[in-house]
């Protein structure tokens, strides 16, 4: 009898096709039970969907729950997925729709372009778009613009409803401060936490600083509201929160059209409600602590919300971490007996495992800015002037001609619709055919209008950038070689600073260009 022994292959088959590594991305915008159930359903669907394809290898599910889709920096699941794409762990991403992936057109296109550069493609189920087979970004741009418009519309509707509740006093504080709980829509005292609030106020009255109070609470292992440890900022927020007196000021912050949150310094109406809930701290004690804080600030030379204070730190809120997207905050560091100003990533300060970006020195940033400006002064003829000319040519020829062509198509569409109405009125068309043709014309007009409006926005943006370049040229023409940091020049011409590493930063100019400098 023949004996057969199988000899296992020692090398991979050169003709075999490796499986495509596929991941899915899901997101729900609130943390309600219904939304979380939807998230579970999405995750289950994609596990089965990916594993059912024999040519795909299931990599995993990335998701964000209770997170708005308007800004990519707010979504940890998305950031983790992008990181894995950078590390060559994913070939294809499957997601429900463009609005689930991003409701900000800029973010959407930026991420899609970055992923294509990495050789990673996205399949949007609802729109049936695969970025691998896209010949143009136009459709994706239009659809993501619609998603952004939808998000803005929802946001405006929510703002209107909230404003009404502000005005009639029925607004519910869904996330009460430390010391309170939300029970049946009402703020009710949490007595264990209330003891800590009273301790914080008594220590402040005794003259202790906010950092010392935070250190004491951390040493006693008393958990904060988010259980992330106490900080000076947390303590200061409690000491300045009027809710502990039983009163409420509504709309202390607001969100602009780009979904950025700002402190309301009078731009929007505020609403003051007295005796809204049971107090933990008396008005007298609260006002005394406010005076103590004010006195300590004066001793340090800090006068909040005046022009001197606001111009004191030109880099505040303008330094962005390239690793995690967080802003940098100002701190005082020591090297032996010498103290110096440094800027640190807030995410790194909170949790070093979430961001590895280390601090950069204030003096190094200022020196990098001086170097960058001096390069522009000496190189304006081959940097700024060609850029300005390019922007002028782009705005004059390309976009304007495209807008004019779209306007003509919109006019033709209107004429076709009028002809269609006349034919229907004379009985030459069946109602079903009339409705079908009319709907097709309406859809085409909507798409043409969106394209035209997008080009107009681009044109306005280019004109604005051109003006910023022109302003910068005027500045460098007048300026001699810069010897030291110029606050006014920085504020006039720089939008933000991106920190790529401790050795390299990028100045994002208001003209739209980013200039990198070594430090």
């Amino acid at each position: 009898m023949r004996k057969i022994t199988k000899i296992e292959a020692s090398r991979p088959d050169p003709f075999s096709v490796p499986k495509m590594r596929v991941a899915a991305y899901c997101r729900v915008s609130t943390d309600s039970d219904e939304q979380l159930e939807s998230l579970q359903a999405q995750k289950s669907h994609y596990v089965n969907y990916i594993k059912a394809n024999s040519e795909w290898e299931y990599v995993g599910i990335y998701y964000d729950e209770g997170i708005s889709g308007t800004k990519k920096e707010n979504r940890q699941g998305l950031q983790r997925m992008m990181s894995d794409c950078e590390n060559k762990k994913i070939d294809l991403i499957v997601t429900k729709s463009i609005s689930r992936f991003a409701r900000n057109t800029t973010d959407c296109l930026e991420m899609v372009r970055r992923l294509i550069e990495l050789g990673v493609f996205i399949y949007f189920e609802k729109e049936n778009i695969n970025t691998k087979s896209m010949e143009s970004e136009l459709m994706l741009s239009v659809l993501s613009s619609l998603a952004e418009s939808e998000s803005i519309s929802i946001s405006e509707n929510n703002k209107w409803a909230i404003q009404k509740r502000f005005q009639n006093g029925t607004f519910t504080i869904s996330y009460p401060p430390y010391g309170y709980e939300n029970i049946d829509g009402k703020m009710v005292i949490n007595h264990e936490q209330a003891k800590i609030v009273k301790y914080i106020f008594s220590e402040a009255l005794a003259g202790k600083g906010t950092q010392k109070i935070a250190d004491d609470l951390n040493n006693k292992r008393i958990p904060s509201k988010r259980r992330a440890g106490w900080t000076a900022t947390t303590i200061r927020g409690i000491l300045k929160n009027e809710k502990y007196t039983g009163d409420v000021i509504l709309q202390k912050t607001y969100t602009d059209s780009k979904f950025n949150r700002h402190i309301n310094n009078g731009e929007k109406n505020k609403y003051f409600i007295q005796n809204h809930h049971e107090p933990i701290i008396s008005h007298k004690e609260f006002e005394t602590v406010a005076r103590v804080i004010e006195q300590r600030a004066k001793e340090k030379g800090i006068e909040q919300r005046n022009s001197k204070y606001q111009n004191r730190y030109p880099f505040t809120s303008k330094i962005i971490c390239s690793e995690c997207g967080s802003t940098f905050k100002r701190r005082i560091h020591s090297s032996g007996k010498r103290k110096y100003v440094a800027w640190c990533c807030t995410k790194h300060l909170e949790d070093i495992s979430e961001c590895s970006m280390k601090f950069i020195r204030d003096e190094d940033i200022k020196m990098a800015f001086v170097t960058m400006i001096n390069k522009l002064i000496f190189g304006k003829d081959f940097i700024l002037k060609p850029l300005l000319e390019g922007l002028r040519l782009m705005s004059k020829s390309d976009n304007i001609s495209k807008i004019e062509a779209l306007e003509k198509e919109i006019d033709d569409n209107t004429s076709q619709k009028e002809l269609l109405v006349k034919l229907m009125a004379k009985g030459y068309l069946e109602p079903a055919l009339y409705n079908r043709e009319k709907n097709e014309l309406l859809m085409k007009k909507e798409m043409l209008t969106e394209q035209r409006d997008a080009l107009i926005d681009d044109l306005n943006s280019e004109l604005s950038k051109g003006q910023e370049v022109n302003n910068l040229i005027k500045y460098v023409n007048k300026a001699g070689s810069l010897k030291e940091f110029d606050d006014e020049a920085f504020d006039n011409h720089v939008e933000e600073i991106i920190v790529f590493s401790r050795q390299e930063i990028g100045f994002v100019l208001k003209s739209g260009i980013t200039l990198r400098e070594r430090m």
Side-chain angles (χ1 to χ4, degrees):
M1 181 179 293
R2 294 179 181 177
K3 183 179 180 182
I4 300 172
T5 304
K6 181 181 179 183
I7 302 173
E8 298 288 346
S10 59
R11 295 181 182 178
D13 182 357
F15 300 103
S16 65
V17 179
K19 290 187 175 182
M20 184 175 284
R21 296 165 299 175
V22 183
Y25 177 73
C26 316
R27 178 183 64 82
V28 293
S29 54
T30 68
D31 53 8
S32 66
D33 292 340
E34 294 84 355
Q35 289 280 282
L36 294 180
E37 286 176 12
S38 169
L39 179 60
Q40 290 301 321
Q42 288 182 58
K43 289 160 68 176
S44 176
H45 161 70
Y46 284 121
V47 170
N48 297 328
Y49 178 68
I50 295 171
K51 289 185 175 180
N53 192 321
S54 60
E55 297 179 357
W56 289 358
E57 177 187 339
Y58 172 75
V59 175
I61 303 287
Y62 299 82
Y63 61 91
D64 289 298
E65 55 186 69
I67 297 292
S68 167
T70 52
K71 293 246 179 143
K72 67 180 187 296
E73 292 83 2
N74 299 336
R75 295 188 275 166
Q76 297 300 318
L78 180 66
Q79 294 296 329
R80 188 164 53 86
M81 182 181 73
M82 294 294 288
S83 176
D84 285 349
C85 290
E86 298 268 2
N87 294 323
K88 307 296 183 183
K89 295 180 181 180
I90 300 171
D91 299 315
L92 176 68
I93 298 165
V94 181
T95 190
K96 184 177 179 181
S97 66
I98 292 171
S99 64
R100 291 293 93 191
F101 187 66
R103 284 193 174 174
N104 179 302
T105 308
T106 304
D107 282 352
C108 183
L109 294 177
E110 180 185 306
M111 288 188 288
V112 167
R113 288 168 184 161
R114 179 61 186 140
L115 289 170
I116 289 174
E117 286 176 6
L118 296 169
V120 181
F121 303 98
I122 311 174
Y123 175 60
F124 299 100
E125 282 192 294
K126 182 180 176 182
E127 294 84 4
N128 193 26
I129 290 178
N130 189 331
T131 57
K132 186 176 183 180
S133 58
M134 287 176 62
E135 296 179 359
S136 167
E137 290 182 341
L138 178 60
M139 185 54 69
L140 182 63
S141 177
V142 170
L143 291 171
S144 54
S145 294
L146 290 173
E148 183 174 359
S149 297
E150 177 193 355
S151 182
I152 292 171
S153 175
I154 292 170
S155 174
E156 292 302 319
N157 289 339
N158 288 338
K159 286 178 184 176
W160 181 86
I162 289 170
Q163 286 290 328
K164 288 296 180 185
R165 292 200 293 274
F166 282 164
Q167 292 169 14
N168 58 32
T170 59
F171 180 78
T172 299
I173 298 172
S174 57
Y175 194 75
Y178 183 87
Y180 288 98
E181 295 176 357
N182 189 327
I183 299 178
D184 297 329
K186 295 182 179 180
M187 280 178 59
V188 178
I189 291 177
N190 178 318
H191 292 286
E192 288 300 315
Q193 293 181 0
K195 292 177 184 177
I196 307 304
V197 172
K198 291 177 180 177
Y199 169 80
I200 290 170
F201 273 87
S202 64
E203 291 295 278
L205 284 171
K208 279 190 179 180
T210 53
Q211 187 59 58
K212 183 67 172 67
I213 297 172
D215 291 341
D216 289 347
L217 293 173
N218 287 327
N219 291 335
K220 292 177 181 178
R221 299 185 182 280
I222 295 171
S224 64
K225 190 171 182 70
R226 296 180 181 272
R227 300 185 179 277
W230 295 90
T231 66
T233 303
T234 308
I235 301 299
R236 197 175 300 113
I238 287 176
L239 294 173
K240 291 186 175 183
N241 196 333
E242 82 293 337
K243 293 183 181 68
Y244 293 111
T245 66
D247 301 335
V248 171
I249 298 175
L250 300 175
Q251 197 159 246
K252 289 191 281 189
T253 62
Y254 68 95
T255 305
D256 64 20
S257 59
K258 294 183 179 179
F259 305 102
N260 296 313
R261 184 159 287 278
H262 303 277
I263 295 173
N264 184 3
N265 291 320
E267 295 84 357
K268 303 286 182 181
N269 293 328
K270 292 182 183 179
Y271 302 87
F272 177 66
I273 304 175
Q274 287 183 297
N275 303 318
H276 178 270
H277 53 272
E278 187 179 352
I280 295 176
I281 301 298
S282 69
H283 282 91
K284 183 179 179 180
E285 190 174 358
F286 183 82
E287 290 163 5
T288 305
V289 167
R291 287 196 293 272
V292 170
I293 293 173
E294 184 180 357
Q295 181 59 37
R296 288 175 67 90
K298 285 181 179 178
E299 289 170 3
K300 292 182 178 181
I302 300 172
E303 296 179 43
Q304 292 191 12
R305 279 193 286 277
N306 69 11
S307 58
K308 180 181 177 182
Y309 177 78
Q310 289 181 359
N311 293 330
R312 192 179 177 196
Y313 309 134
F315 303 141
T316 300
S317 301
K318 285 196 173 185
I319 306 179
I320 311 297
C321 176
S322 64
E323 183 176 334
C324 68
S326 301
T327 54
F328 277 50
K329 68 183 296 185
R330 186 180 186 276
R331 291 167 68 90
I332 303 297
H333 286 193
S334 299
S335 178
K337 293 183 179 180
R338 180 175 174 269
K339 292 186 178 182
Y340 60 91
V341 176
W343 293 86
C344 310
C345 173
T346 51
K347 179 72 73 176
H348 178 84
L349 292 173
E350 292 169 3
D351 187 351
I352 192 172
S353 66
E354 290 290 327
C355 181
S356 62
M357 189 69 73
K358 295 183 179 179
F359 71 89
I360 54 175
R361 292 175 182 250
D362 184 86
E363 60 190 32
D364 291 342
I365 305 172
K366 290 178 177 177
M367 186 56 65
F369 175 76
V370 171
T371 303
M372 185 266 293
I373 288 293
N374 284 334
K375 284 181 181 178
L376 290 178
I377 290 171
F378 292 108
K380 60 180 180 293
D381 290 336
F382 58 87
I383 297 176
L384 296 178
K385 289 183 179 178
L387 174 63
L388 179 60
E389 188 59 30
L391 288 170
R392 283 173 176 168
L393 288 173
M394 188 183 299
S395 62
K396 283 180 181 178
S397 59
D398 194 27
N399 277 357
I400 290 179
S401 60
K402 287 180 180 178
I403 291 168
E404 288 174 348
L406 287 168
E407 289 282 9
K408 186 178 183 306
E409 284 192 68
I410 291 169
D411 290 340
D412 291 343
N413 181 282
T414 303
S415 298
Q416 290 176 42
K417 191 170 68 173
E418 290 172 355
L419 177 60
L420 203 64
V421 172
K422 289 178 182 177
L423 292 173
M424 177 63 183
K426 292 180 178 180
Y428 295 149
L429 289 178
E430 293 291 331
L433 179 60
Y434 167 78
N435 287 328
R436 186 172 72 246
E437 293 294 328
K438 183 187 74 171
N439 289 336
E440 286 181 4
L441 286 171
L442 287 172
M443 288 175 64
K444 186 176 181 182
K445 183 178 180 180
E446 185 176 348
M447 187 179 73
L448 291 169
T449 304
E450 289 286 346
Q451 291 177 25
R452 181 202 61 189
D453 291 346
L455 285 172
I456 290 172
D457 288 343
D458 287 344
L459 179 60
N460 290 334
S461 176
E462 298 301 337
L463 291 171
S464 175
K465 288 177 182 178
Q467 184 59 49
E468 291 294 345
V469 174
N470 199 38
N471 292 339
L472 187 54
I473 290 173
K474 288 180 180 178
Y475 169 75
V476 297
N477 280 337
K478 291 180 180 178
S481 179
L482 208 61
K483 304 295 184 185
E484 59 184 16
F485 181 74
D486 185 338
D487 290 42
E488 186 177 356
F490 176 84
D491 190 56
N492 287 341
H493 302 295
V494 178
E495 189 71 39
E496 62 184 21
I497 299 170
I498 299 175
V499 180
F500 298 106
S501 69
R502 295 187 75 185
Q503 291 76 41
E504 186 179 38
I505 61 175
F507 292 97
V508 182
L509 304 186
K510 292 181 179 180
S511 57
I513 59 172
T514 300
L515 299 177
R516 295 193 180 214
E517 283 296 334
R518 302 287 295 177
M519 292 193 297

